[in-house]
Each structure stands twice: as structure tokens, then as C-alpha cells.
Amino acid sequence: MVAPPDKPDNDVIRASALHFEHHDGSPALQGVSLGVRKGEVLAVRGPRGSGKTSLLRCLAGLDRPQRGEVWFDGVAVHTLGPLARERLRRDRFGWIDPAPVLVPELTAWENAALPLMLRGTGRRRARQAALEWLERLDVDGRARLRPHELRRSERQRVCVARALAVVPSVLFADEPTAPLHRAESAQVLRTLTTAARSHGVTVVLAAHGPQGAALADRTVTLLDGRRVRTLHLPPVTDVAESAEAAGGTGTEGRAACSLSA
């Protein structure tokens, strides 16, 4: 039997020295360790390609790290087989993708209620819960429509309602407001974080912009699959001038960044 590592009593998730590679062998995570406290809203920041999605997928049991450990509430997630990980995700976790993925044959409320019904909740109770969350996200008036009849932003709100309706122990949100305009994004993030805190849901939020980090309790930053303390990106004009002086186009600012570990 594998013993859980020493951790603070209020850590619900603990990751230790995670290494993960993509199918082509390119590294996504290179020794990332972190703890997530129960009821905390944790934002994972970093530029695209920094490893945010890979980290969330390993923490949620969607992917298994090649090396390292993931613990959830005393359970060694990294040692579980596919069926056990699937049950864990169904019963304890919620997930929001950056792009809305819904069952096309179901209405909006049926999509939002689906995880509840898969857990054994009766149709009437599941419908009531789904409609309550759709109302909080201002799409209750579209509840009877199917995905192809909804705007992209409305479909994403349904996905957020679906994830929150089950009141998961941990909600993993991978840039959940990517398809939304700025004003919509701010509203959905406020609803998500406020609802999570009021229901005691732990949230791990991958955030590309500053909005998610501003609403989080704590922020960790990734760069090239490693956790860093601070990330300094120069202004776009400085990057362009540096690139022009070097004979480049100024369209890629990644090499000009500095960081302190």
C-alpha cells in the first residue's frame, strides 16, 4: 500500500515532481510540485504552451504523468487504473474545457443536468438544479434549445453550469472563458468563483489573462513546464524594437522574457 506524503491538513490535492511528455516526446511538465488547499481558488498562469493544461489534466486524472505523484484526499491518483480514474472524475471532480463541448441531441438544461443523472439523481431534481445554475449564468431562457441553436458564448455558459451543478469536490477549469467577450468573461468568472466559495468547492483555474488571477485566492506561474516565482514580459514595443534591432520581425516576444525562480 502506498502511503500519502506529508502535507498540510487542509491540502486536498498534492502534486510532487510531475514530469509529463506529449506523444511526440516534447516535454510539457518538468518537475512541477504544488499543493491546493481545500476550498481554495487557485489560478495557474503562464503563456500558451507553458504546461497549464497538462498540469490540470494530470491533477484531474485525465493523463498519467511519466514521473511524479498526484494525491487527492489521500488517494494516489497516479497509481489508479483507467476505470478508477474515470469513477473519481465522475463522482468527485468537475471539468470545464476552453471550448464548449455539449451533447448535440440534448437541450441546454439536459446537458447541464447530465452529470447529475449519471450519478443517479432523479430527472426532476437534476432538471431543477440545472435550471438554477443556468439562471445564475443568464442562459435559463435558452434552456430548451439544443447546442446548434445557441451562440458559442451561450454554449460555454451551459458547460460552466454543467460543471457546477454537481457541486464537485474539485473543479478544474481550463481557461473556461476563452470563447467569451471581456464583459461576459468577467461575469462568468465571478459567478464561478463566488459559487465555488459558497459551496466549498476547490477550484484549479488555468488563466491566460489577468481576470482569473485577480479573482483567485492564490496564483502559481508556469513557464516551459516549470514553476517560477515571477514572470517579467517586456512591453510589446520593447520586444518589437529589440527584434527589429536583431533583424527579426518583432512578432515573438518569448525569448525576451526574464524570470526569477
Side-chain angles (χ1 to χ4, degrees), residues 17-18 22 28 32 39-40 49 72 81 106 114 126 137 140 153 165 183-184 192 208 226-227 256:
L18 293 184
H22 295 298
V32 175
E40 179 180 33
F72 164 70
L106 301 182
L114 185 58
L137 290 155
D140 52 313
S153 61
E184 290 181 313
L192 192 158
H208 181 64
R226 293 185 174 91
R227 184 173 172 181

Side-chain angles (χ1 to χ4, degrees), residues 35-59:
V36 187
R37 295 186 290 268
K38 187 173 183 179
E40 179 180 33
V41 177
L42 176 70
V44 181
R45 292 198 65 189
R48 299 197 184 279
S50 60
K52 300 187 301 293
T53 297
S54 295
L55 176 60
L56 264 65
R57 289 182 63 88
C58 286
L59 295 178

Side-chain angles (χ1 to χ4, degrees), residues 44-206:
V44 181
R45 292 198 65 189
R48 299 197 184 279
S50 60
K52 300 187 301 293
T53 297
S54 295
L55 176 60
L56 264 65
R57 289 182 63 88
C58 286
L59 295 178
L62 286 164
D63 290 328
R64 294 181 69 174
Q66 280 81 24
R67 284 185 287 154
E69 299 180 349
V70 178
W71 293 84
F72 164 70
D73 204 16
V75 175
V77 179
H78 57 286
T79 67
L80 298 178
L83 290 179
R85 283 186 284 130
E86 183 179 340
R87 283 194 297 269
L88 182 64
R89 294 193 300 271
R90 181 194 65 198
D91 297 337
R92 305 295 299 277
F93 294 163
W95 180 274
I96 306 173
D97 275 308
V101 180
L102 298 171
V103 180
E105 294 83 8
L106 301 182
T107 63
W109 81 258
E110 289 170 334
N111 268 285
L114 185 58
L116 282 167
M117 290 190 282
L118 290 175
R119 290 185 179 189
T121 304
R123 183 178 176 87
R124 180 176 296 179
R125 285 185 58 195
R127 181 177 184 274
Q128 180 180 354
L131 289 174
E132 288 175 358
W133 284 107
L134 291 174
E135 182 179 4
R136 291 190 188 190
L137 290 155
D138 292 334
V139 282
D140 52 313
R142 317 285 280 172
R144 294 183 178 275
L145 301 181
R146 288 181 166 76
H148 74 274
E149 300 173 288
L150 302 173
R151 296 192 299 271
R152 180 180 172 86
S153 61
E154 292 172 337
R155 295 198 299 271
Q156 187 69 350
R157 288 170 183 263
V158 174
C159 291
V160 175
R162 178 179 62 190
L164 288 168
V166 295
V167 190
S169 298
V170 183
L171 173 59
F172 298 94
D174 184 13
E175 298 196 27
T177 59
L180 307 180
H181 296 299
R182 183 177 178 84
E184 290 181 313
S185 174
Q187 180 190 357
V188 169
L189 282 173
R190 282 196 301 270
T191 300
L192 192 158
T193 53
T194 301
R197 290 187 175 101
S198 66
H199 289 76
V201 176
T202 303
V203 177
V204 184
L205 168 70

Side-chain angles (χ1 to χ4, degrees), residues 222-236:
L222 298 183
L223 181 66
D224 293 336
R226 293 185 174 91
R227 184 173 172 181
V228 297
R229 291 187 183 277
T230 58
L231 176 63
H232 306 290
L233 292 175
V236 175

Side-chain angles (χ1 to χ4, degrees), residues 8 33 76 94 97 104 113 129 179-180 183 186 203 217 236 242 247 249 251:
S33 299
D97 275 308
L180 307 180
V203 177
D217 299 312
V236 175
S242 298
T249 62
T251 58

